[in-house]
Amino acid sequence: MSSRRLLKAAEAIREVVANAIVTEVRDPRVRDVTVIGVEVSPDMREAKVKVSVMGDDSQKQLSLRGLKNSAGFLQSKIANRLDTRYTPKLRFEVDKGQENAMTVSEILAQIRREKEDATDDRDQNDSGEEASPHSND
């Protein structure tokens, strides 16, 4: 199957799943979930749905269980939208990309603060102190 067709199918699945989660899934465990992307297998029998969940690890696990329980409902929505021989079986996984980006951002901000503190200390030492006691007169 052409990669262009797989990409179109993945985008259609992402749209259907994202809209259904927001508007039709009534499971209280499935909240604060954002669909990041979808990867479809070459034979179109499986689709890996990557999601981002706001909250701690227990909230993420709870949301994943809710999504797994809603998979059949979501697959029926996909079957209505896609005209394919097989409706892909959905697998959900938490996308760590957002978490990793936030972690890297925090580390970079910490390094920036440390550099600024070191520069401020050096500037104060250069302008605020008289000649050191070990200098040659």
Side-chain angles (χ1 to χ4, degrees):
M1 196 171 288
S2 74
S3 62
R4 182 170 177 240
R5 182 169 173 176
L6 287 176
L7 290 173
K8 286 178 76 174
E11 180 58 24
I13 292 168
R14 188 197 64 75
E15 264 182 46
V16 169
V17 171
N19 287 336
I21 286 173
V22 170
T23 60
E24 299 177 59
V25 173
R26 300 284 179 239
D27 192 329
R29 298 174 293 184
V30 181
R31 55 189 168 96
D32 299 328
V33 174
T34 304
V35 178
I36 303 294
V38 175
E39 293 176 11
V40 180
S41 66
D43 62 358
M44 293 271 299
R45 290 186 185 233
E46 290 186 9
K48 185 180 351 176
V49 181
K50 295 184 178 188
V51 296
S52 173
V53 181
M54 298 297 286
D56 58 3
D57 286 337
S58 63
Q59 175 61 38
K60 290 176 186 177
Q61 293 306 314
L62 199 62
S63 293
L64 279 179
R65 268 188 260 133
L67 287 169
K68 286 177 185 174
N69 288 349
S70 301
F73 170 74
L74 294 170
Q75 284 173 216
S76 70
K77 292 289 181 188
I78 292 167
N80 292 338
R81 170 85 185 265
L82 295 180
D83 186 27
T84 59
R85 180 177 294 171
Y86 304 106
T87 301
K89 182 177 183 228
L90 299 179
R91 280 188 333 182
F92 295 94
E93 70 177 40
V94 175
D95 184 43
K96 301 282 187 187
Q98 299 288 37
E99 287 179 35
N100 293 343
M102 289 178 62
T103 303
V104 168
S105 180
E106 289 170 7
I107 291 170
L108 290 173
Q110 181 181 357
I111 291 170
R112 192 175 307 118
R113 283 191 302 270
E114 289 172 1
K115 278 187 176 181
E116 289 172 358
D117 290 346
T119 303
D120 290 346
D121 289 346
R122 200 173 332 119
D123 289 345
Q124 287 176 354
N125 287 341
D126 289 347
S127 62
E129 291 185 359
E130 296 180 14
S132 76
H134 299 294
S135 66
N136 295 336
D137 288 307

